[in-house]
Amino acid sequence: MKRKHNFKRLAADIIGVAMALIIFGIPFVFILLNSLKDRLESNRLAMSLPTVFHFENYLTVLENNNYQLVTAFKNSIIMTIGAVIVLIITGSMAGYVLQRRKDRITKFLSKLVLIGLMIPTAILPTIWVLQKLGIYKTMFSIILLQTALNISFTIMLYQNFMETIPVELEEAGFMDGASTMKLFAYIIFPLLKPVTATVVIINAISVFNDFTTPLYFFPGSENATVQLTLYNYIGQFANSYNLLFADVIVIVIPMLILFLIFNNRIVDGMTAGSVKG
C-alpha cells in the first residue's frame, strides 16, 4: 500500500515537472536561442540552434539609447528595494496588531485589508493627488504606490504566520519590563524570518516585473524601468527579434535566479501559518 502511494506521488511529480517544462521551459529556450541569432535568422522564429552565436546582441541592447537599460535596472532596483523595505516594516507591524488584538476596530481593519486585494488602482485620481502633493514622477511616489498595491497581501501573510507564535513569549517579555516596540523588535520580528523571506521574494518579483504602475505614474526616459524598456523596444526592434529577445532574457534572468534559489522558502513561508499545533 505504501509502495503504491509512493508510486502515485512519483508519477504526479514527474507529470508536474513535465508540464512545467512544456509551459515555461520551451518558451524560455525559444527566446534564448533566437536572442543569439542575427536579425534575418531570428525573424524566422524557428526553434533551432543559431548558425553563428551572436553574443554581441546583449551588448547592443545594453548600449542602446545611451545605456537606457542600465538606467532602467538602476531605477527598478531602487524601486524594488525601497518598496520591499517599507512593506516588511509596515506589513509585519500591521499583521502583528491585527492578529493579536481582537476588538471591533481591528476586525474592521482586517476587512479593509481584504477589500484592498479587490479594489483596482484609480489612475487619474491618483495622478491628480500626486500632482497636488508635488511628488508625481518621483521615486518616492512610485515606492509609495508599490507599497500600497502590495500591502494587503503582505499583511495577510504576516497575520497568518503570527498565529504560530505563542502568546506566552510576549507575556514573558512584558513581565521582564520590555516595551511593546522592544518586544516586537527583539522577540517577535526575529521569529518572522520564514514569512519575511517569502514577503521579500514575492514582492521583489512583483515590483520588479510591474509594468502598468511605472507606465502611468513614473513616465519619462530618465525614469524608465526594465519592463518599460521592453515596451519601447517592441517598436524600436520590431524587425529585429534577436535584440528584442535579448532584452527579454536580460530582464528575466535576475528574478528567475532569485526565484529558483529561494523557491522552497516561498512555499514554507506561505504554508507555515496554515497549520496550528
Side-chain angles (χ1 to χ4, degrees):
M1 187 70 181
K2 185 177 180 180
R3 183 178 298 178
K4 184 178 180 181
H5 178 69
N6 291 336
F7 176 77
K8 288 183 177 179
R9 289 187 59 183
L10 178 61
D13 290 341
I14 293 174
I15 293 173
V17 171
M19 291 296 294
L21 288 175
I22 293 173
I23 297 173
F24 301 106
I26 292 177
F28 180 79
V29 172
F30 171 79
I31 294 173
L32 178 62
L33 291 176
N34 281 282
S35 71
L36 296 170
K37 299 176 181 179
D38 61 22
R39 184 175 66 85
L40 293 177
E41 191 176 6
S42 67
N43 286 353
R44 297 170 189 163
L45 300 177
M47 187 75 168
S48 60
L49 289 173
T51 305
V52 178
F53 286 85
H54 293 271
F55 292 100
E56 67 273 9
N57 290 342
Y58 293 94
L59 184 61
T60 301
V61 167
L62 289 173
E63 294 176 345
N64 185 65
N65 291 339
N66 195 25
Y67 294 93
Q68 186 183 49
L69 187 57
V70 177
T71 302
F73 262 104
K74 182 194 72 173
N75 290 334
S76 292
I77 290 172
I78 294 174
M79 177 179 67
T80 302
I81 293 176
V84 168
I85 291 174
V86 177
L87 282 166
I88 290 172
I89 296 172
T90 57
S92 61
M93 290 182 175
Y96 171 62
V97 173
L98 292 177
Q99 202 285 322
R100 287 296 191 248
R101 293 183 61 177
K102 302 297 182 181
D103 52 28
R104 291 183 178 179
I105 296 177
T106 53
K107 289 181 180 179
F108 173 73
L109 293 176
S110 295
K111 291 179 181 179
L112 283 182
V113 171
L114 292 175
I115 293 174
L117 293 172
M118 299 180 285
I119 298 178
T121 307
I123 297 173
L124 292 179
T126 304
I127 292 177
W128 180 82
V129 171
L130 294 177
Q131 288 175 337
K132 291 297 181 181
L133 294 174
I135 57 174
Y136 181 55
K137 295 195 296 184
T138 64
M139 183 61 71
F140 175 71
S141 67
I142 199 67
I143 288 175
L144 291 182
L145 287 169
Q146 293 291 0
T147 301
L149 291 171
N150 295 282
I151 190 64
S152 294
F153 184 66
T154 301
I155 291 175
M156 288 182 62
L157 286 177
Y158 277 114
Q159 188 175 355
N160 290 334
F161 190 85
M162 277 299 305
E163 296 181 9
T164 65
I165 299 177
V167 181
E168 289 76 12
L169 291 175
E170 300 165 48
E171 294 174 348
F174 282 126
M175 290 180 65
D176 290 337
S179 63
T180 304
M181 286 302 298
K182 284 187 177 180
L183 179 70
F184 178 80
Y186 295 105
I187 297 178
I188 301 301
F189 188 75
L191 297 175
L192 300 177
K193 285 182 180 179
V195 70
T196 298
T198 302
V199 166
V200 169
I201 299 160
I202 290 180
N203 286 321
I205 294 175
S206 175
V207 174
F208 190 86
N209 290 331
D210 190 8
F211 170 75
T212 56
T213 305
L215 177 65
Y216 293 125
F217 304 110
F218 203 47
S221 58
E222 71 282 0
N223 297 331
T225 59
V226 289
Q227 299 302 324
L228 291 183
T229 62
L230 181 60
Y231 176 70
N232 294 331
Y233 288 172
I234 288 175
Q236 187 174 357
F237 298 146
N239 297 319
S240 302
Y241 283 109
N242 56 334
L243 299 180
L244 182 61
F245 289 150
D247 184 56
V248 172
I249 293 296
V250 172
I251 291 173
V252 167
I253 287 296
M255 290 298 107
L256 179 62
I257 293 174
L258 183 68
F259 179 81
L260 292 175
I261 292 175
F262 297 103
N263 181 45
N264 290 334
R265 294 194 177 186
I266 295 176
V267 177
D268 292 341
M270 294 188 71
T271 59
S274 62
V275 180
K276 296 182 181 180

